[in-house]
Amino acid sequence: GQSLEQPSEVTAVEGAIVQINCTYQTSGFYGLSWYQQHDGGAPTFLSYNALDGLEETGRFSSFLSRSDSYGYLLLQELQMKDSASYFCAVRDGDDKIIFGKGTRLHILP
Amino acid sequence: DTEVTQTPKHLVMGMTNKKSLKCEQHMGHRAMYWYKQKAKKPPELMFVYSYEKLSINESVPSRFSPECPNSSLLNLHLHALQPEDSALYLCASSQEVGQGRNTIYFGEGSWLTVV
């Protein structure tokens, strides 16, 4: 079967760093993406990793290890507006983009 | 700002009504998607269109009928829905299906309530 596992909730303090992990099991793999979704809004694209290593985009970075079927999203200098749900997603061998169940990030002042 | 536009943003319909959700993108993308999302759940894939042809139907009930009139437009026709179909319906697009980068861009969604 296909599955993506990520923590359901993470809590961090404003200004700190937080890491959201994602492990996947899919039939075929064409890259790992991360999406952010605020309450009442639509998912917005954050980052994409097709190859092993770290991709950095401003305060957000994403990492992929294909041999471990593992990736993470790193958020630095957390701001209150980063409070949202974060989804990892993979495109599998059937060209379907499958989402993890999402991680709810709570940020404390 | 999203470049995928969905209308209407909110829709309330009875179980005997027929309505349609509309989606438009002008990014030149050749793949378009419909997802359904319930509260506190991830988006669930419903349909994928590639080059205006239906390529994936995730065993969606026939009361949902997709249509792709051209490469920029995607519709979802709704008929005889059930209250459990109430959800956020997300349209999305990507450059192509199955080609390297798998970034998809979502519209703001249509909030559907079936009464």
Side-chain angles (χ1 to χ4, degrees):
Chain A
Q2 302 180 104
S3 67
L4 291 90
E5 297 292 331
Q6 53 182 128
S8 59
E9 289 187 273
V10 172
T11 299
V13 178
E14 189 176 16
I17 299 172
V18 71
Q19 177 174 313
I20 300 173
N21 299 320
C22 175
T23 58
Y24 58 87
Q25 182 177 9
T26 58
S27 55
F29 176 78
Y30 293 106
L32 181 71
S33 295
W34 289 91
Y35 291 81
Q36 179 192 61
Q37 186 175 27
H38 288 98
D39 286 347
T44 56
F45 170 76
L46 290 178
S47 69
Y48 169 76
N49 295 72
L51 303 175
D52 293 350
L54 190 68
E55 294 280 343
E56 298 182 66
T57 308
R59 294 188 296 116
F60 294 177
S61 303
S62 57
F63 172 83
L64 175 66
S65 170
R66 288 173 297 170
S67 61
D68 296 322
S69 298
Y70 163 76
Y72 66 72
L73 179 69
L74 190 74
L75 296 83
Q76 303 181 72
E77 301 174 17
L78 285 173
Q79 301 175 11
M80 297 304 293
K81 67 179 182 179
D82 298 328
S83 294
S85 292
Y86 293 84
F87 296 93
C88 58
V90 297
R91 185 188 292 278
D92 69 8
D94 295 323
D95 290 336
K96 299 176 186 177
I97 296 176
I98 308 298
F99 286 80
K101 293 184 178 180
T103 298
R104 180 77 186 182
L105 174 61
H106 302 279
I107 299 177
L108 304 176
Chain B
D1 289 338
T2 180
E3 295 185 64
V4 179
T5 304
Q6 289 186 242
T7 56
K9 288 187 168 34
H10 299 273
L11 177 63
V12 179
M13 61 184 291
M15 288 188 284
T16 58
N17 291 161
K18 287 185 180 181
K19 297 286 185 182
S20 296
L21 304 180
K22 298 184 181 300
C23 176
E24 187 170 7
Q25 59 89 13
H26 293 290
M27 295 181 281
H29 289 173
R30 304 316 300 265
M32 296 186 76
Y33 310 77
W34 280 114
Y35 281 84
K36 172 184 177 180
Q37 188 176 27
K38 303 282 272 185
K40 301 189 185 304
K41 298 290 186 182
E44 294 179 16
L45 183 64
M46 299 175 72
F47 303 104
V48 180
Y49 273 82
S50 178
Y51 288 87
E52 301 165 43
K53 295 193 185 307
L54 184 64
S55 62
I56 295 175
N57 176 342
E58 286 288 87
S59 301
V60 179
S62 60
R63 58 186 185 268
F64 295 91
S65 176
E67 177 195 19
C68 189
N70 59 54
S71 60
S72 299
L73 296 175
L74 185 65
N75 299 322
L76 186 63
H77 302 298
L78 314 171
H79 175 54
L81 295 192
Q82 302 298 310
E84 58 264 30
D85 296 322
S86 299
L88 176 66
Y89 288 84
L90 294 160
C91 174
S93 69
S94 65
Q95 289 179 342
E96 292 190 24
V97 172
Q99 294 289 327
R101 194 177 185 89
N102 65 341
T103 301
I104 61 173
Y105 298 89
F106 286 94
E108 292 294 322
S110 293
W111 291 93
L112 174 67
T113 302
V114 181
V115 297

